Amino acid sequence: KTIIKGLDFWCDKDFIGDNWWNNQIGTPQTLVRIMLVIGDELPKNLISKSQEIIKRADINKGGSRPGGDRIKVASIAAKNQLFLNDQIGFELIIDIIENEIELVDWIGNDFGYTYSKSNIGGSSGDGQCSFGTFFGYGRLCHDWSESDQYLQWS
């Protein structure tokens, strides 16, 4: 009951922050987690209001730039497709995530990232998901690389 009251308050106020990150990543990420855990127990109108906010994690918006937060935004959108049981939408977004992952020796090598080898302290190690290991993307890479082998649609 407390979660429903809090979520209803948040959705009714529909807080928009000055920083795009909160609007397109932070809040949608939190709400999609709520949907995955207890979404089936929420009133339909609250799910609809939450979906309006979750869908701000849009892979076609400015914050979802290649080499930037595109994997984070796509991850939120993919998890939302899981909640909505939309297999086709989920698979389209997973393709976007797969196409964003590049094997590089270090950030900034050949793919136009803004970080150079000298200002991150050298090599990232094995090179897998290297652009993310320093900025929180490593967990996202792990989430989706692990889940792909276990995820099956029923």
Side-chain angles (χ1 to χ4, degrees), residues 23-25 28-29 52-61 64 72-78 93:
N23 305 318
Q24 291 183 33
I25 295 176
Q29 184 174 54
E52 292 176 28
I53 297 171
I54 292 168
K55 289 180 181 177
R56 290 182 186 146
D58 185 339
I59 56 171
N60 298 309
K61 288 190 178 175
S64 179
K72 280 187 181 180
V73 172
S75 180
I76 296 164
I93 294 169

Side-chain angles (χ1 to χ4, degrees), residues 22-129:
N22 296 310
N23 305 318
Q24 291 183 33
I25 295 176
T27 302
Q29 184 174 54
T30 299
L31 293 183
V32 83
R33 287 175 179 162
I34 292 171
M35 293 298 119
L36 289 170
V37 174
I38 62 163
D40 293 337
E41 301 170 37
L42 297 174
K44 298 293 181 203
N45 69 322
L46 191 52
I47 292 171
S48 295
K49 290 194 291 187
S50 298
Q51 285 298 310
E52 292 176 28
I53 297 171
I54 292 168
K55 289 180 181 177
R56 290 182 186 146
D58 185 339
I59 56 171
N60 298 309
K61 288 190 178 175
S64 179
R65 64 207 180 282
D69 287 316
R70 192 164 178 84
I71 290 178
K72 280 187 181 180
V73 172
S75 180
I76 296 164
K79 289 173 185 175
N80 194 43
Q81 297 309 306
L82 287 176
F83 171 72
L84 296 172
N85 201 26
D86 180 352
Q87 181 178 356
I88 294 170
F90 175 79
E91 290 174 0
L92 290 171
I93 294 169
I94 290 299
D95 285 344
I96 291 169
I97 293 172
E98 288 174 353
N99 288 321
E100 284 297 309
I101 297 172
E102 300 280 351
L103 276 172
V104 294
D105 292 332
W106 48 272
I107 297 172
N109 188 17
D110 294 318
F111 299 102
Y113 298 112
T114 57
Y115 301 95
S116 69
K117 189 173 185 177
S118 62
N119 68 10
I120 63 166
S123 175
S124 65
D126 65 3
Q128 294 181 356
C129 297

Side-chain angles (χ1 to χ4, degrees), residues 132-147:
T133 55
F134 296 101
F135 302 104
Y137 292 97
R139 191 180 105 236
L140 291 172
C141 291
H142 178 268
D143 286 352
W144 292 111
S145 65
E146 281 264 316
S147 66

